[in-house]
Amino acid sequence: MDESLDAMTNKFSTVDYIVFILMLVCSSGIGIFYAFKGRKNESSKEFLTANKSLNWFPVSMSLLASFQSSVTILGYPAEMYTKGTQFWVVILSAIFASITAAELFLPVYFKLSFTSVNRYLTMRFNRDNVRLAASMAFLLGTVPYMGVVLYGPSLALSSVTPLSVTSSILIIGIICTFYTSLGGIKAVVWTDTMQVGLMYIGLVAVMLRAFYLVGGVGEAFRIAAERGRIEFTNFELDVSKTNNFWNSVLGMGIMWCGNYCTTQTEVQRYCNTQSQKKAKLALYVNLVGVILMISCACLCGIGVFAYYADCDPLKAGKISKTDQLMPYFVMDTMSEFKGLPGIFVTCVFSASLSTLSSGFNALSAVTWDDFLKETRLGCLSEQNQKNFNKITAIFYGILSILMAFIVGQIGSVLKAAISLAGCLIGPLLGIYLSAILCPFANSKGVISGLTFGVSFGFWVLIGSLVYPANDDFKETLITGCPANFISNSTLIVDDVLENQPFFLKLYQIAFLLVPVTGFIICLFVSFVASLLTGGLNDVKHVDPNTLSPLVWKIWPERLLPPKSDSSKDKEVIEISVRGMNSENLIT
């Protein structure tokens, strides 16, 4: 532990580069294969959604890869290291989100034949304005998130190789854009499956190495417990902290529910499996994978902390950000094993590539189906439509690369990802939950809810950048460092706002609560505004197929629309979706 980060970059060997390049070649190869396979017969819709032909297993792996990105690989271990194990309880959030998606939203969605999940909102409210507002929110939330996902591994690679952050962003962004635009969703799903395996290999390698160096799992937990890192029952009610039970579970619960239940990135995968039963199986297999991956990442954090318990490289000034802890450990302790640093870098890049490719494909699908399909471009031939969607995917790839150069200013990748995406994910979940569970919710009500929820989220996000809060890091030591190890530069801590007006203190709420507040505001405003704008009178016009069966159990009969003939539901829905256009939807 006596080397600088700059010296460590020279340890990235030829074998490591070969391992890394092989991963990029395989990812590109899958895209080329599916581009060649579907060059003649594949329609634009099949390019974007696979038209209900996906196998449940790669879909479950793709669901896992789409949401578990470099944020997990770099951010979760850093959270264990700096704040303790309380954040590990977010696996409860994952369980809740998977059950909600599988049991509440999937039965409604799977009956519908759509490319963009936002088409559901048109069917539910009989107006295009809600769908277009939700689509715009999705685009505005996803592109910055893609920038975060791209920035994370670029920071990691720059820490362990001579490549700069700029070079890394360009490499990963261009490769991902290439295979996504070529092969469509099938290439994305199968590439995700390969990349999930690489993510597990990298995490397990780091975890085993850390535990071996400190003397075993028990010793690592003992050291972590002595230093106050083992904590699962912190039920303190403090909206400014991230390391308590309520903020962790609620914050990630809303984030995951929003992603699994409302975003094109996730919904287009499980709704395009071969049957509803297989879609549900994919969601629950994905849940097992999520729990395992989060646990591996958290165990890595405990092992790395135990190893650096008396000589924190962050406090000693050897690294500048918590996201560099994992790459630093790898080069510090594993570089003697040729190929292992390459495997770890491949792990981080795989995590990022999988999320980016899913995001680019989803962004392209939403842009086409919600904004362009009903314009003159909708008259293009199937081949030209597919080519146009490829160009759209390339456009979003370039946009995400540009965004990656901006998001590094927000802080850790975990904080940046949840803060940026949470501003929109929380309110989006609010309008979808209102739509599927509240029969008297109307278009005016949910538009109002979305507007207030998103506005509040962005206000808090911008304010938190101007008036940043203290990171609630636990104490670390450098008493065990060699005499020549400590750098002149040390971690700078921002001043906490004291005795400030209430509205300034709002900027200090934990980033995990940004999606929660947006969700609550959207849900409340949607409910009240719908009642004030005639929602009770609109109930009779609501298509019962767009509501969850739970609605008939939780609301009085006078608030419910008449049930339709269930034997004709699927046929009627498919016909109505095919016939949608802007002229016949506005009532």
Side-chain angles (χ1 to χ4, degrees):
M1 294 190 299
D2 57 352
E3 292 182 275
S4 68
L5 197 58
D6 291 336
M8 289 182 179
T9 62
N10 297 322
K11 291 185 175 182
F12 206 72
S13 67
T14 302
V15 177
D16 297 315
Y17 279 111
I18 291 174
V19 170
F20 175 60
I21 292 171
L22 280 176
M23 183 273 294
L24 296 180
V25 170
C26 289
S27 297
S28 301
I30 293 173
I32 294 171
F33 170 78
Y34 279 104
F36 180 81
K37 184 178 179 181
R39 69 191 187 282
K40 292 182 179 180
N41 301 321
E42 186 179 57
S43 66
S44 174
K45 183 173 182 178
E46 189 164 347
F47 175 82
L48 294 172
T49 68
N51 205 19
K52 295 190 184 296
S53 64
L54 297 175
N55 184 275
W56 68 268
F57 180 73
V59 167
S60 66
M61 295 299 99
S62 185
L63 287 171
L64 171 62
S66 297
F67 200 50
Q68 303 304 312
S69 63
S70 56
V71 175
T72 302
I73 306 298
L74 300 176
Y76 281 46
E79 193 76 9
M80 301 297 106
Y81 188 103
T82 58
K83 300 179 183 178
T85 58
Q86 185 62 65
F87 193 72
W88 200 341
V89 300
V90 298
I91 59 175
L92 299 177
S93 306
I95 294 171
F96 176 74
S98 296
I99 293 173
T100 302
E103 306 300 335
L104 180 60
F105 284 87
L106 174 61
V108 176
Y109 286 161
F110 206 83
K111 295 182 295 184
L112 313 179
S113 179
F114 52 62
T115 297
S116 167
V117 64
N118 297 314
R119 287 277 174 179
Y120 162 76
L121 296 173
T122 291
M123 298 187 65
R124 168 62 178 84
F125 296 109
N126 297 311
R127 289 185 180 273
D128 273 339
N129 58 347
V130 183
R131 170 173 62 88
L132 294 176
S135 301
M136 185 58 67
F138 171 75
L139 295 180
L140 291 176
T142 303
V143 172
Y145 181 77
M146 294 295 102
V148 175
V149 170
L150 183 52
Y151 171 77
S154 301
L155 178 68
L157 189 61
S158 69
S159 302
V160 296
T161 73
L163 288 175
S164 65
V165 173
T166 299
S167 301
S168 303
I169 287 174
L170 292 175
I171 290 172
I172 190 171
I174 291 171
I175 291 292
C176 185
T177 302
F178 172 72
Y179 75 75
T180 303
S181 61
L182 276 182
I185 192 172
K186 290 181 180 178
V188 171
V189 167
W190 283 105
T191 306
D192 285 352
T193 302
M194 175 195 75
Q195 289 163 350
V196 165
L198 295 173
M199 290 160 67
Y200 275 117
I201 291 172
L203 284 173
V204 170
V206 174
M207 179 177 64
L208 294 178
R209 180 61 172 165
F211 287 149
Y212 171 78
L213 290 174
V214 299
V217 178
E219 182 64 12
F221 271 83
R222 184 192 67 78
I223 295 172
E226 285 182 354
R227 306 297 172 87
R229 291 308 192 276
I230 307 301
E231 185 178 42
F232 293 103
T233 56
N234 179 6
F235 296 110
E236 177 187 11
L237 294 175
D238 188 342
V239 297
S240 66
K241 305 294 184 182
T242 59
N243 61 335
N244 65 59
F245 179 90
W246 306 112
N247 293 354
S248 296
V249 172
L250 287 175
M252 293 305 293
I254 295 299
M255 281 295 294
W256 271 328
C257 277
N259 274 278
Y260 283 126
C261 303
T262 73
T263 65
Q264 181 74 12
T265 312
E266 309 294 328
V267 175
Q268 74 174 6
R269 278 151 181 70
Y270 62 75
C271 279
N272 282 286
T273 51
Q274 296 156 348
S275 67
Q276 183 174 327
K277 182 178 179 181
K278 290 182 178 179
K280 187 175 291 190
L281 177 62
L283 279 166
Y284 285 127
V285 171
N286 158 74
L287 172 61
V288 175
V290 167
I291 293 173
L292 289 175
M293 185 164 291
I294 288 176
S295 296
C296 285
C298 292
L299 287 169
C300 284
I302 293 171
V304 172
F305 172 78
Y307 182 73
Y308 291 124
D310 295 318
C311 186
D312 175 21
L314 186 66
K315 193 171 185 178
K318 292 301 179 181
I319 56 177
S320 59
K321 290 196 173 187
T322 58
D323 301 320
Q324 294 175 312
L325 282 165
M326 285 279 279
Y328 184 88
F329 174 81
V330 169
M331 295 311 298
D332 187 19
T333 66
M334 300 170 69
S335 57
E336 61 188 278
F337 305 101
K338 304 300 182 184
L340 281 183
I343 289 175
F344 174 74
V345 171
T346 298
C347 161
V348 178
F349 264 65
S350 294
S352 187
L353 282 169
S354 59
T355 300
L356 288 168
S357 60
S358 301
F360 296 163
N361 184 261
L363 288 165
S364 180
V366 168
T367 301
W368 173 257
D369 200 55
D370 290 335
F371 293 100
L372 302 176
K373 186 177 181 180
E374 293 169 4
T375 67
R376 291 182 180 180
L377 293 173
C379 299
L380 295 173
S381 66
E382 283 292 343
Q383 184 61 42
N384 286 335
Q385 287 183 24
K386 187 170 74 169
N387 291 337
F388 187 85
N389 283 306
K390 289 182 178 182
I391 294 172
T392 306
I394 293 172
F395 167 75
Y396 282 116
I398 296 172
L399 199 59
S400 297
I401 290 172
L402 296 176
M403 189 62 64
F405 291 108
I406 299 173
V407 297
Q409 307 303 313
I410 296 180
S412 71
V413 291
L414 182 64
K415 181 178 180 179
I418 295 175
S419 297
L420 286 169
C423 291
L424 293 146
I425 291 297
L428 274 177
L429 178 61
I431 66 170
Y432 271 86
L433 203 61
S434 298
I436 206 167
L437 282 182
C438 185
F440 57 82
N442 63 14
S443 60
K444 293 178 181 178
V446 297
I447 287 288
S448 300
L450 182 65
T451 302
F452 276 93
V454 169
S455 299
F456 179 83
F458 272 113
W459 176 50
V460 171
L461 174 61
I462 294 171
S464 66
L465 295 177
V466 177
Y467 301 99
N470 245 351
D471 288 312
D472 46 334
F473 291 169
K474 293 181 180 293
E475 183 182 3
T476 56
L477 300 176
I478 53 175
T479 54
C481 295
N484 62 343
F485 183 79
I486 301 174
S487 172
N488 291 328
S489 59
T490 56
L491 189 64
I492 299 174
V493 180
D494 296 316
D495 293 330
V496 183
L497 290 180
E498 296 289 353
N499 302 317
Q500 294 289 343
F502 173 74
F503 78 91
L504 288 182
K505 291 184 179 180
L506 277 176
Y507 301 148
Q508 309 302 299
I509 67 171
F511 65 88
L512 289 170
L513 295 183
V514 171
V516 177
T517 52
F519 168 74
I520 294 173
I521 290 171
C522 178
L523 204 62
F524 176 77
V525 173
S526 297
F527 185 87
V528 174
S530 293
L531 290 176
L532 295 176
T533 56
L536 293 176
N537 297 325
D538 296 336
V539 171
K540 58 181 176 292
H541 300 299
V542 175
D543 184 349
N545 296 298
T546 61
L547 298 173
S548 167
L550 286 176
V551 165
W552 277 266
K553 298 179 181 180
I554 61 178
W555 294 104
E557 187 174 349
R558 62 186 177 84
L559 297 180
L560 299 172
K563 285 190 175 182
S564 61
D565 184 357
S566 60
S567 65
K568 298 181 180 180
D569 284 350
K570 185 174 182 179
E571 179 183 357
V572 171
I573 291 171
E574 290 180 349
I575 292 174
S576 66
V577 172
R578 288 196 299 268
M580 282 182 181
N581 57 59
S582 57
E583 286 80 21
N584 63 20
L585 286 175
I586 300 178
T587 59

